[in-house]
Amino acid sequence: MSIKEGNFEEVNVEVSVTAESVDLLSSLESFNVRSFGAIGDGDPHPLSSIYTSLEEARKKYPKATSLTDEIDGCAIQAAFDAASKQKIGPNLGGTVFFPSGRYLCNIPLYGLDISVDGDPQAATLVFPEFGEGNPAIIVDRSTGKRQVWRNISVVGPGTYDRNVRGVRTAWGSGIKVVNTAMPLFENLQILHFGWGMDWASSAGHIKLFHTNIEYCWYGVYVSHNSGDYWVDMSTVNQNAFANFATHASSGIEALSMRSSHCGYSPFSFYCEPEPNKPGGSNIFLKDLVLDHVRFEQVGNAAIYSDPSLGANPRVEGIRILDMGFSWDADKGKWLELPDWPRDFAIDIGMALNSPILIHNDSYPFTKGKVNMMRIREQQASAPVTIIGHGNTADDIEVVNGIKRVTVGSDFVLQQDATYAPQQHLLSRGDRANNRYELNITQDGTTGAGFQLAHLKNGTRTELMYATDGNTLRFRRPILLDELINPGRSSTAFVNPREGAFYVDTSNSSYECVRTYIGGRWNRQGAGSEMPTAGSWQRSDYITNTAPTILAGVVTKGWLRLTNGTGNVLGTDWVEDKITI
């Protein structure tokens, strides 16, 4: 029943569990855990139930440590070890398959270079308590291949009672990612551990897709930060203390979380109170993007850096878009830990180097017992911009440093009740002194304007400016690679700039192009005869579209001599002739 041949047929679950049956199952060539002797019926089956000595058991399960070890756990580890030796091309590591079943594992598992796949609905691994810092599963990597773990549930020994808050019921972690492992976890469920996941790899690039981590003390703990994490369409939610947690010497860097849920917990993002250790990064959050991440029903704070032991880790660059926040009495107060502050929805230590942007939806971050947001130290290089309804600049408290806070709609932003431009810098990291800037401006007289400028070595040059009066101006030459269709009007355009032009339709039968040169509008048109009606101005010119030779003379066109509505040849117009 080789899994490589696509046969996922299960072994008859009614087979009697004997040493001979386990030998038969384990001799089959596949990485199906049933082929290595896993039973998966949810009942305990220690090695002692079929083996009389540890030495006999180790003939099939070399890593067995006791006859009390469960057959399921030993068989799964044997499948992991066999799969890790499979070589396809330059890489090691095969895929281990879990048929439907509930597998009891009283030993921790170690997966090197392997991937895992299971029955999407009913493959569950159950673990006891291994103690604080000890994971149920370690995901490791030695070669270039990136593992995919999907379609299994990993359940720990803890319990969860929404009426019992702030009590930790488990200590070990569910899955720990180490060394250079960069796995994708898809359709996983992790429940009832101290830490659902421990991100401890030195390579980062850990991905969660359609994964649920719930009912743990911490959902995800970043113990060793390497950056570049993705969480998409997932639920890190309903954890007893915090959904994401870290410490100042690690931090969480370059996390992109989208269309996911991060609520139903006292804290959504939490930084432990220990100060930065020597050589540590002193980071809480850096380059964080939370796009449609729902903070529904938060008990104490959506983002909280615990200062109780003097920690003040920095935050560098956060973008929160459409957060869906709630912690009012009917949607979150039941999750509040009474011995912890509920003063601010966001409470961070040091903000520097990069902006903090919050774009509200209809459920914005709202005030706690003190205010909406506190920054214990803000540098001018880290402005805070809150766009959308529901907040004012007074909702943000800055304890030390320079308060630089902008609040309002996309086009009417206020800083300390005074207008402040909204700026978006478009740049590359290797061109710090060469940037393009988008700026919404408003001076109270001409209305709002949208401006594109170039900043190079401290010099700012306007390139384009559009106003709410429908005026668009360009300060630099325009290179047009396609056809241009100029505006058409019977009246001269207002606020002209040198070189402006449009199609003049004010004189019937003589559509002309008017160009603003030398401080005045100049008109040029075409027709088969001199105009006999209409209002014209001096220097207008009509090109003859039907020239003929008469007595060696050709009339090229007609030049206007006067201003007004008169159209007399020799008085208002003069023929422009050439002799051939």
Side-chain angles (χ1 to χ4, degrees):
M1 59 173 69
S2 172
I3 193 172
K4 296 187 286 295
E5 297 173 357
N7 188 348
F8 290 70
E9 181 180 352
E10 295 185 20
V11 176
N12 188 342
V13 297
E14 296 181 358
V15 65
S16 61
V17 181
T18 65
E20 289 76 14
S21 66
V22 170
D23 289 346
L24 172 63
L25 292 172
S26 60
S27 68
L28 299 176
E29 182 186 355
S30 79
F31 302 129
N32 186 323
V33 295
R34 294 284 178 84
S35 301
F36 292 83
I39 302 162
D41 62 2
D43 294 327
H45 298 285
L47 291 175
S48 61
S49 64
I50 59 173
Y51 294 104
T52 59
S53 69
L54 183 60
E55 290 73 19
E56 181 185 4
R58 281 178 172 170
K59 293 177 182 179
K60 295 301 177 184
Y61 304 120
K63 293 186 177 179
T65 60
S66 170
L67 287 179
T68 61
D69 293 352
E70 286 288 338
I71 292 175
D72 281 350
C74 292
I76 293 169
Q77 185 61 63
F80 283 7
D81 292 342
S84 69
K85 297 175 183 177
Q86 185 184 62
K87 187 172 184 180
I88 302 176
N91 298 316
L92 291 172
T95 298
V96 175
F97 177 70
F98 286 84
S100 174
R102 188 174 179 87
Y103 303 88
L104 302 186
C105 307
N106 65 343
I107 59 172
L109 303 175
Y110 175 73
L112 177 65
D113 296 327
I114 66 169
S115 292
V116 165
D117 197 4
D119 182 290
Q121 296 296 328
T124 301
L125 281 64
V126 181
F127 293 88
E129 179 65 73
F130 294 126
E132 185 172 9
N134 297 317
I137 301 174
I138 291 178
V139 178
D140 199 354
R141 169 177 170 263
S142 66
T143 66
K145 184 177 179 180
R146 299 188 182 185
Q147 305 103 301
V148 178
W149 287 56
R150 62 184 182 182
N151 298 333
I152 62 171
S153 295
V154 182
V155 180
T159 60
Y160 183 85
D161 185 347
R162 61 172 288 173
N163 297 314
V164 179
R165 293 165 291 171
V167 177
R168 184 170 180 173
T169 62
W171 297 90
S173 54
I175 296 179
K176 183 174 183 177
V177 184
V178 300
N179 295 325
T180 60
M182 298 182 287
L184 163 65
F185 297 102
E186 178 180 355
N187 197 35
L188 251 67
Q189 181 169 254
I190 303 177
L191 310 172
H192 300 304
F193 288 95
W195 304 344
M197 273 193 177
D198 181 2
W199 291 353
S201 76
S202 59
H205 294 85
I206 299 171
K207 306 173 185 67
L208 306 184
F209 177 75
H210 197 255
T211 288
N212 298 331
I213 304 176
E214 300 180 307
Y215 309 130
C216 301
W217 179 251
Y218 289 160
V220 173
Y221 186 66
V222 183
S223 62
H224 181 84
N225 172 39
S226 296
D228 294 323
Y229 307 111
W230 292 269
V231 178
D232 195 4
M233 297 179 65
S234 294
T235 300
V236 185
N237 190 68
Q238 297 193 90
N239 293 289
F241 190 83
N243 294 319
F244 286 85
T246 188
H247 55 90
S249 295
S250 169
I252 304 173
E253 183 175 354
L255 168 66
S256 176
M257 188 173 184
R258 302 178 187 277
S259 303
S260 297
H261 209 287
C262 195
Y264 287 87
S265 179
F267 298 97
S268 294
F269 286 83
Y270 173 78
C271 189
E272 294 174 335
E274 289 82 0
N276 187 48
K277 298 176 183 177
S281 57
N282 197 34
I283 292 175
F284 176 20
L285 301 172
K286 183 176 181 179
D287 298 334
L288 191 76
V289 177
L290 305 176
D291 187 355
H292 285 78
V293 173
R294 314 310 282 176
F295 291 93
E296 184 180 1
Q297 299 202 19
V298 170
N300 291 80
I303 300 174
Y304 181 70
S305 176
D306 192 333
S308 60
L309 295 180
N312 201 36
R314 68 185 190 271
V315 170
E316 295 187 41
I318 303 178
R319 291 173 59 87
I320 304 176
L321 313 175
D322 301 328
M323 67 290 295
F325 175 78
S326 63
W327 67 346
D328 52 5
D330 61 328
K331 289 186 177 180
K333 192 166 179 64
W334 62 274
L335 285 160
E336 180 185 357
L337 301 179
D339 295 332
W340 290 81
R342 198 171 191 255
D343 297 337
F344 305 91
I346 299 176
D347 192 350
I348 59 178
M350 183 188 307
L352 75 165
N353 294 339
S354 299
I356 297 174
L357 171 65
I358 300 173
H359 200 298
N360 287 334
D361 63 3
S362 56
Y363 294 96
F365 289 120
T366 52
K367 290 183 178 182
K369 296 176 181 178
V370 177
N371 217 327
M372 188 279 285
M373 180 177 181
R374 177 174 71 171
I375 304 173
R376 294 191 288 278
E377 182 177 347
Q378 182 182 11
Q379 303 296 318
S381 59
V384 177
T385 300
I386 302 180
I387 299 173
H389 74 282
N391 292 117
T392 69
D394 292 335
D395 294 336
I396 290 85
E397 174 183 326
V398 176
V399 179
N400 293 301
I402 301 174
K403 182 175 181 179
R404 189 178 174 193
V405 176
T406 303
V407 178
S409 70
D410 286 327
F411 288 91
V412 184
L413 296 171
Q414 300 291 324
Q415 178 174 332
D416 299 330
T418 304
Y419 170 77
Q422 175 195 3
Q423 297 183 344
H424 304 274
L425 295 180
L426 313 176
S427 65
R428 284 174 31 168
D430 60 346
R431 297 183 178 180
N433 295 319
N434 190 350
R435 302 185 176 192
Y436 289 90
E437 174 191 76
L438 299 181
N439 192 11
I440 308 299
T441 65
Q442 180 174 322
D443 60 17
T445 301
T446 60
F450 181 86
Q451 185 181 64
L452 173 64
H454 183 213
L455 289 84
K456 185 173 183 180
N457 297 324
T459 300
R460 184 176 183 278
T461 304
E462 180 187 297
L463 301 178
M464 183 273 288
Y465 188 80
T467 74
D468 59 3
N470 299 321
T471 297
L472 177 65
R473 72 174 184 237
F474 294 89
R475 293 292 197 185
R476 287 293 175 267
I478 305 172
L479 179 63
L480 299 174
D481 292 331
E482 301 292 341
L483 296 177
I484 183 170
N485 295 305
R488 302 168 64 86
S489 178
S490 61
T491 58
F493 282 6
V494 297
N495 302 321
R497 300 290 188 273
E498 197 76 0
F501 66 99
Y502 71 98
V503 176
D504 178 13
T505 62
S506 61
N507 293 310
S508 61
S509 302
Y510 288 91
E511 287 196 344
C512 304
V513 174
R514 298 195 78 179
T515 307
Y516 196 83
I517 297 177
R520 65 189 298 272
W521 284 109
N522 299 276
R523 184 189 285 117
Q524 285 192 326
S528 59
E529 60 183 9
M530 185 194 81
T532 58
S535 178
W536 304 88
Q537 68 180 32
R538 188 176 181 180
S539 80
D540 289 347
Y541 189 90
I542 302 298
T543 299
N544 187 0
T545 60
T548 59
I549 302 174
L550 183 61
V553 176
V554 175
T555 300
K556 291 175 53 182
W558 298 271
L559 176 66
R560 183 73 182 188
L561 301 177
T562 62
N563 297 324
T565 58
N567 290 283
V568 178
L569 181 62
T571 301
D572 303 301
W573 295 95
V574 62
E575 290 180 319
D576 181 13
K577 297 182 177 182
I578 59 173
T579 301
I580 59 173

